[in-house]
Amino acid sequence: MSTGIGARVPRKEDARHLAGKARFVGDLSFPRLWEVAFVRSPLAHARIRSITVPERHAGRVFTAQDMEGVQPIRAESSLPTYKPSDYPPLARGKVRFAGECVALCIAPTRAEAEDVAEEVILDLEALPAVIDSLAARRPGAPRVHEEWGDNLFLTTSVDGDFESARKRAAVVVEREYRTARQCMVPLEGKAVLARHDERKGQLVVYTSTQVPHLIRTGLSQFLGLDQADVRVIAPDVGGGFGYKCVLQPEEISVSWAAMRTGRPLRWVEDRREHLTAGANTRQHHYRLTACADEHGRLLAVDAEITVDVGAYSVWPFTACLEASQAGGNLPGPYALDVYRCKTYSVATNKPGFTPYRGVARPGVCFAMELTIDAIARAVGREPADVRAENLVPAGAMPYTNVTGKHYDSGDYPASVAGARRMIGLDAVRARQGRSLPPPGGADRLDAAPACRSRSRPFPEPAARLDTTHAHQDHAERPAPDSRRLDAVSARQGAREPDGRLIGIGFSTFTEQTAHGTRVFGAWGLPLVPGYEQATVKLAPSGTVEVRSGNHSFGQGLETTLAQIASEQLGIGVDRIRVTMGDTGETPYSTGAYASRGMVMAGGAVSKAAESLAGRIRKHAAHLLQTGADRVSLAGGQANAAGGASVSFEDVARAWYLRPDQLPDDVDTQGLEVTEGYKPEVDTGVFTYATHAAVVAVDPATGSVEILDYVLFEDCGRRVNPMILEGQSYGGAAQGIGTALFEESLYDENGQPLTSTFADYVLPGPAELPAMRIEHLESLSPYTRHGIKGIGEGAAIAPAGAVVNAINDALRPLNVEINEIPATPRRILAAILEAKASGANEDGRRRTP
């Protein structure tokens, strides 16, 4: 059975994970190991007057004053309006967010280290905190960094002749959208253990990271060490999502303290630290105007995007990556000719912004997809039709869009058609058309029962009208034409028998994956990723060793890289060992982020394995007394055209142990190959998908239940469909958290209000629907095997799909939700406001 590309091979790493034999940073043990706890700022903005350490804890507490010679984290950029920030590993002079590290405490156990931290006295002079990014842009706002003239890390702009397009538009839609600040909540938080290897004379840092080679570069730079004196090892990593793709201040301070004390030191982030100091992503604000013709065809888009990026710029991606990505990706998959946009990366007294799964695209997708639905309502057409007609057509591929994104391949309208078929759009519209008013009249907001059993999702489109509720069927009413919403508009107050309102929503996106040199170079980053390298070796035992500087933190790269090697070498993945995450054993790589693993690392492994296959055939040909062009590889054997064969073990034995069996002029390059790789066009390859959701909204409580959810996606060649589907389901679950649940809240003083899981709500099995997924395979013309990235994609679309469905359900009440998460409080407040004050001038009562 083939274990190469396309096979549903069980994950190799699961053997240790499911047996509890994986080794994370928290599982490591060394003689004389002590634990670290940090003293963190209780204030969001304050001057440090003094830090008092009890005399009995001398030598166990370190502050910035002790770290002479250690440089602050400084992420530079060549962009003209960019302002860098100095981010000290331990606060120096001033604290800029609640949770910033102020002192490092060590003790034999974590509990003892926390006891030491409790006795450190901070004398802080409170300063006014700036919490809202729009307020931070105003003149006179408190300065996060006094040396700046404002609170702007960066502004960018895209110019287009929007006003001319507006004059000829039949429809102009204006909206304001907000997304919430979030935490990423990987199963394993940040963790670092540092020690000095006396034999090698190296600082060895074990850290839970996605980018071990980058961390080595950063540690050497800011600690003032030669890179040869630093080794970084990422053992098993329990999730990352982008949270672990930047240099962490804790990695610097723990490494420094280990060198200072001469003993191994470890810090593992606890959940309260994560939910406060790690509340660092997703927070956007949009002012968006879209112009369309009378059919809903997009003519132009104008946007102002403000991103709350917190107090410091992270290394190496800077505080400006999110807004730059937002401005460049807002047009998404749509064929748009006129685009004007201005972005603001705004400093506030919150933790520094870290790239999160999808990097800006969940926010821009939410804003753009809600705008598409608003246009469809304005022209009285089915949103799915308007969406499909605005997408870049398949015949236009490859296509360069209005912001210069080069879409390599795909059929975007087909993804809408696929999702529409899977979700059963016509059946849902028919169901809406025959919904009954609640007992007591259509204007009863309290008609729904206070509690009910959870509805079952639609199992198949043909049965969807009758399977979600165990109520007596009622006479059918005429179904509306799916191309027009006029009939649906007439269902004022129409509800399910239990009083809830049903809605359906779609969301389509593109995801730029495996960004290359030209893309990162244009962003002005201090470190520009380029090629990827991999080493593939036929070992003396006849097994294959693959070494990649990339890393696996849950996405299954140990398995999929083995499948790439299996495809090229004709040997089962059970005989392939993959090593990653150790800068002392692997070729240089900038690591795992931007959905680059399978495109870049997979391409490098493919190229190296292909080269190794040629060498194996050459050596086997001599043993078989035939020509290399007459030898094929399969099943771990080298097979001659005439039927004779030798095993990989025979070939390896001849090279390593019995070279006398090889000719005197044998090729001495050997059976170990290192190759570098980058795609033919390195501006990125584009995955795309359409998600669709059916929801039930209770107008009495504002609660939302997702009844059905489907994904129709295209990621090029699927290396392992089973792993891909797991990634997609997991990403969609995260996106549903973004849509309905997750929000890091602050008071006016910058105090975090969501510091436990009692306050910060994650979706669980009871909140997630039984999702279904289908695929296309549009191969990229620029990458090996036509592979595209997919790791981030499914987290992008859910907010747009779910909130569009909510708005579709709330249409009879003249309510529109434009802020996420769409919590029951927000939905109920909007319903009550609409009832109290009536619809506004365009027939909608919107959330602020």
Side-chain angles (χ1 to χ4, degrees):
M1 182 182 70
S2 170
T3 60
I5 294 173
R8 289 179 172 268
V9 177
R11 298 198 329 166
K12 294 168 66 70
E13 46 267 69
D14 286 349
R16 65 180 184 276
H17 285 301
L18 297 178
K21 296 179 179 179
R23 284 173 62 82
F24 299 89
V25 172
D27 297 314
L28 304 177
S29 179
F30 294 95
R32 302 175 59 247
L33 173 66
W34 277 20
E35 305 289 343
V36 171
F38 286 97
V39 178
R40 295 181 179 271
S41 172
L43 300 180
H45 199 194
R47 298 194 193 283
I48 301 174
R49 288 172 171 162
S50 66
I51 304 172
T52 303
V53 179
E55 186 65 31
R56 65 182 176 279
H57 294 321
R60 292 193 174 191
V61 179
F62 304 98
T63 69
Q65 300 304 315
D66 300 303
M67 298 177 68
E68 292 298 328
V70 176
Q71 300 299 310
I73 300 171
R74 190 176 178 89
E76 300 284 358
S77 172
S78 60
L79 296 177
T81 62
Y82 174 76
K83 303 185 190 76
S85 62
D86 285 341
Y87 186 1
L90 297 176
R92 181 183 292 272
K94 186 176 173 180
V95 292
R96 293 181 172 86
F97 65 91
E100 183 172 357
C101 295
V102 177
L104 179 151
C105 307
I106 63 173
T109 68
R110 174 63 178 259
E112 291 173 282
E114 290 181 353
D115 289 343
V116 172
E118 285 290 328
E119 297 187 45
V120 175
I121 300 172
L122 300 183
D123 184 3
L124 303 177
E125 176 191 352
L127 298 172
V130 57
I131 302 305
D132 179 81
S133 59
L134 297 182
R137 285 175 48 189
R138 296 173 190 150
R143 296 283 181 262
V144 178
H145 299 277
E146 282 97 343
E147 65 273 21
W148 297 2
D150 52 31
N151 284 317
L152 297 176
F153 277 101
L154 180 74
T155 59
T156 68
S157 62
V158 177
D159 295 323
D161 190 5
F162 178 80
E163 298 307 328
S164 294
R166 182 169 187 156
K167 290 176 183 177
R168 65 178 188 272
V171 172
V172 177
V173 170
E174 298 181 358
R175 292 293 186 270
E176 187 173 352
Y177 302 107
R178 293 178 184 269
T179 67
R181 182 163 284 251
Q182 286 183 243
C183 295
M184 302 186 202
V185 201
L187 284 175
E188 178 201 29
K190 292 189 289 188
V192 57
L193 187 158
R195 68 181 182 90
H196 189 259
D197 185 326
E198 296 292 346
R199 186 174 71 86
K200 292 188 175 181
Q202 285 183 315
L203 170 67
V204 181
V205 179
Y206 303 83
T207 182
S208 182
T209 184
Q210 302 167 222
V211 289
H213 286 272
L214 282 187
I215 299 306
R216 181 193 191 204
T217 298
L219 288 175
S220 65
Q221 176 179 336
F222 298 112
L223 289 173
L225 301 173
D226 191 288
Q227 285 203 42
D229 296 331
V230 181
R231 180 181 180 184
V232 172
I233 301 171
D236 285 311
V237 174
F241 309 126
Y243 187 54
K244 301 173 183 175
C245 73
V246 302
L247 179 66
Q248 312 287 353
E250 294 91 348
E251 288 170 322
I252 295 177
S253 54
V254 170
S255 297
W256 172 86
M259 293 189 296
R260 170 71 173 263
T261 62
R263 68 166 62 247
L265 296 175
R266 173 171 54 202
W267 169 74
V268 177
E269 179 184 62
D270 66 29
R271 282 300 171 195
R272 188 177 180 87
E273 287 177 304
H274 179 76
L275 290 171
T276 54
N280 58 1
T281 193
R282 286 278 198 265
Q283 194 164 17
H284 295 195
H285 176 273
Y286 296 83
R287 289 191 175 97
L288 196 149
T289 303
C291 302
D293 66 17
E294 64 274 14
H295 301 291
R297 187 62 184 255
L298 277 171
L299 302 176
V301 170
D302 179 42
E304 179 188 278
I305 305 173
T306 301
V307 180
D308 183 333
V309 295
Y312 296 108
S313 201
V314 298
W315 188 93
F317 296 110
T318 80
C320 306
L321 176 65
E322 188 81 3
S324 298
Q325 283 274 57
N329 283 284
L330 182 65
Y334 296 105
L336 178 67
D337 293 328
V338 179
Y339 178 58
R340 187 174 69 183
C341 180
K342 191 158 189 178
T343 74
Y344 300 88
S345 299
V346 183
T348 62
N349 292 116
K350 296 174 187 173
F353 202 103
T354 302
Y356 181 23
R357 193 175 192 173
V359 184
R361 287 175 288 273
V364 299
C365 180
F366 171 71
M368 196 67 184
E369 292 306 293
L370 264 65
T371 300
I372 293 292
D373 271 37
I375 290 171
R377 289 192 293 270
V379 299
R381 297 188 64 204
E382 169 61 57
D385 291 337
V386 173
R387 178 169 283 101
E389 291 170 13
N390 275 293
L391 294 171
V392 175
M397 294 294 181
Y399 178 87
T400 301
N401 83 343
V402 69
T403 61
K405 304 294 183 189
H406 183 69
Y407 300 154
D408 51 315
S409 64
D411 188 342
Y412 299 171
S415 72
V416 176
R420 178 176 183 154
R421 169 183 50 79
M422 292 173 70
I423 204 76
L425 173 62
D426 292 345
V428 177
R429 290 296 184 216
R431 176 178 179 174
Q432 291 173 322
R434 71 176 190 173
S435 294
L436 298 179
D443 60 346
R444 287 275 311 274
L445 289 182
D446 57 350
C451 60
R452 58 175 62 84
S453 61
R454 177 174 170 81
S455 300
R456 291 177 291 136
F458 299 117
E460 295 294 340
R464 284 177 179 161
L465 295 181
D466 303 310
T467 56
T468 54
H469 302 290
H471 294 287
Q472 182 179 357
D473 195 16
H474 298 273
E476 288 195 20
R477 300 180 181 182
D481 183 343
S482 66
R483 293 169 298 175
R484 304 287 297 179
L485 289 182
D486 302 307
V488 179
S489 299
R491 58 182 175 88
Q492 296 297 320
R495 302 165 189 249
E496 293 290 291
D498 64 359
R500 297 191 296 174
L501 298 167
I502 300 298
I504 185 169
F506 292 80
S507 182
T508 304
F509 70 91
T510 56
E511 181 198 358
Q512 186 177 12
T513 70
H515 310 63
T517 304
R518 281 203 292 160
V519 176
F520 284 107
W523 292 339
L525 299 184
L527 189 150
V528 177
Y531 56 84
E532 184 85 4
Q533 294 183 104
T535 299
V536 182
K537 174 183 178 181
L538 182 64
S541 62
T543 59
V544 172
E545 298 175 1
V546 174
R547 298 181 185 274
S548 169
N550 215 286
H551 199 42
S552 182
F553 48 92
Q555 72 273 48
L557 272 179
E558 277 186 49
T559 304
T560 49
L561 291 182
Q563 288 183 255
I564 295 287
S566 173
E567 181 79 11
Q568 294 285 32
L569 293 168
I571 185 172
V573 295
D574 59 324
R575 301 192 65 200
I576 300 174
R577 179 184 298 273
V578 178
T579 297
M580 291 181 288
D582 186 340
T583 64
E585 295 189 11
T586 61
Y588 187 84
S589 166
T590 56
Y593 53 89
S595 298
R596 69 190 301 272
M598 282 316 301
V599 175
M600 301 297 289
V605 169
S606 174
K607 190 175 177 182
E610 181 181 56
S611 179
L612 177 61
R615 297 186 190 183
I616 292 173
R617 282 194 293 267
K618 186 182 297 184
H619 292 314
H622 178 75
L623 297 177
L624 293 167
Q625 296 299 297
T626 189
D629 59 346
R630 294 175 57 81
V631 176
S632 62
L633 307 181
Q637 302 278 330
N639 306 300
S645 65
V646 292
S647 68
F648 278 24
E649 186 177 1
D650 293 331
V651 175
R653 184 185 299 112
W655 171 257
Y656 291 107
L657 306 177
R658 293 295 306 273
D660 58 295
Q661 296 180 354
L662 299 175
D664 292 339
D665 61 349
V666 64
D667 185 346
T668 58
Q669 287 183 312
L671 298 176
E672 181 172 348
V673 179
T674 298
E675 289 280 3
Y677 170 77
K678 71 175 182 177
E680 295 176 19
V681 175
D682 73 344
T683 54
V685 290
F686 283 81
T687 299
Y688 63 96
T690 295
H691 292 205
V694 177
V695 305
V697 182
D698 188 336
T701 65
S703 64
V704 176
E705 180 185 353
I706 301 175
L707 303 179
D708 198 12
Y709 198 97
V710 302
L711 307 82
F712 194 95
E713 63 185 22
D714 183 347
C715 65
R717 180 68 53 79
R718 291 178 290 165
V719 176
N720 187 316
M722 180 185 67
I723 290 178
L724 166 61
E725 288 162 9
Q727 284 278 308
S728 296
Y729 291 139
Q734 282 185 302
I736 289 170
T738 297
L740 296 176
F741 301 102
E742 298 183 50
E743 183 173 20
S744 297
L745 296 170
Y746 292 81
D747 69 11
E748 65 275 8
N749 297 312
Q751 287 299 309
L753 303 177
T754 44
S755 61
T756 72
F757 283 142
D759 313 305
Y760 188 91
V761 181
L762 293 168
E767 290 76 39
L768 296 173
M771 301 178 225
R772 294 172 288 125
I773 186 170
E774 290 185 14
H775 298 273
L776 287 176
E777 282 194 341
S778 300
L779 305 190
S780 174
Y782 306 134
T783 66
R784 283 200 160 230
H785 311 290
I787 294 169
K788 304 179 184 182
I790 190 62
E792 300 170 88
I796 294 170
V802 170
V803 179
N804 272 336
I806 292 171
N807 287 338
D808 185 58
L810 296 177
R811 180 178 171 83
L813 304 181
N814 290 316
V815 171
E816 186 178 289
I817 305 298
N818 289 332
E819 182 174 2
I820 49 176
T823 59
R825 176 184 62 81
R826 285 196 174 101
I827 293 172
L828 186 58
I831 292 172
L832 293 174
E833 182 186 358
K835 186 182 181 185
S837 60
N840 62 12
E841 66 279 0
D842 65 352
R844 285 286 163 284
R845 175 60 57 192
R846 297 192 293 268
T847 54

